Amino acid sequence: MKLYFAPGACSLHPHIALREAGLPFDLVRVDIRAHKMHDGSDFYAVNPKGYVPALMLDDGQVLTEGAIIDQFVADRAPEAKLAPPAGTMERYRLQEWLNFIATEIHKAFGPLFGNDETVKDAARARVARRFDLVAKTLASQPYLLGQAFTVADAYLYNMLRWTAHTGIDLAKWPALQGLFARVDARPTVQAALAAEKS
Ligand SMILES: N[C@@H](CCC(=O)N[C@@H](CS)C(=O)NCC(=O)O)C(=O)O
């Protein structure tokens, strides 16, 4: 498999999932502004959506949408327990978190990476309201689904890394700082970060 990624982008959480699952994969770096790979080839030819993450399977199919790639990876390594089994209520809880992070947190960061200063305070307030909710869950348990790490925690961690560059002070949410520290300490996470830098 090949994971198309950009350093610091939202391809980090499926990257962490692949390492946690222990599956073999190659990394392909994408310039997401130019929509080109290192060799100059057109990323749109791989993913017509033009964005990372994209996972090319060994049969050439390309799977997109980080929350779906996470679950695909988790289901290929059930022993790693990165997601509860499909069809269980717990799996729907995982999907509830993944969808919440994708649509309510991830996309709320969008304006904070742009140049329109007039919308940034509103975007920060929106992210903060979502963080308030997540922090309530994490005040009484170490991970989003309870006692064990899942791909939803990797996705949340990916988002929390963006706060440092977008003027959001994570110190307001000690429970989120705790999740950040727990996930950051995982060897797979440090390996993913190192691989994305090299
Ligand atoms: N819905 C997609 C969104 C992915 C996305 O926003 N990717 C960004 C990086 S974090 C990107 O590659 N942007 C470049 C572009 O859209 O052209 C997902 O959740 O995987």
Side-chain angles (χ1 to χ4, degrees), residues 90-188:
E90 276 298 282
R91 180 60 166 260
Y92 293 113
R93 290 294 178 203
L94 175 84
Q95 291 171 332
E96 190 177 26
W97 276 121
L98 289 172
N99 201 61
F100 180 78
I101 298 167
T103 60
E104 301 296 333
I105 298 179
H106 184 167
K107 287 296 127 179
F109 269 99
L112 297 173
F113 293 114
N115 297 321
D116 185 350
E117 296 300 324
T118 63
V119 297
K120 290 193 179 181
D121 282 343
R124 277 187 207 99
R126 188 178 176 84
V127 171
R129 284 197 299 277
R130 303 309 183 229
F131 280 1
D132 287 344
L133 275 168
V134 181
K136 275 188 192 151
T137 294
L138 291 174
S140 58
Q141 58 192 51
Y143 297 106
L144 289 171
L145 254 63
Q147 299 304 311
F149 171 87
T150 67
V151 288
D153 302 298
Y155 197 174
L156 179 59
Y157 168 82
N158 195 164
M159 299 298 103
L160 296 180
R161 288 185 66 84
W162 289 352
T163 57
H165 317 291
T166 52
I168 297 172
D169 183 6
L170 210 47
K172 285 185 204 147
W173 299 277
L176 299 187
Q177 284 185 309
L179 182 285
F180 185 92
R182 280 187 286 283
V183 177
D184 195 59
R186 296 178 82 84
T188 56

Side-chain angles (χ1 to χ4, degrees), residues 6 8-11 13 32-33 35 43-44 49-53 64-67 69 102 106-107 155 162:
C10 55
S11 37
H13 63 97
I32 51 175
R33 294 202 176 160
H35 301 102
F43 181 54
Y44 282 111
K49 292 172 174 170
Y51 52 63
V52 295
T64 62
E65 303 304 323
I69 298 173
H106 184 167
K107 287 296 127 179
Y155 197 174
W162 289 352

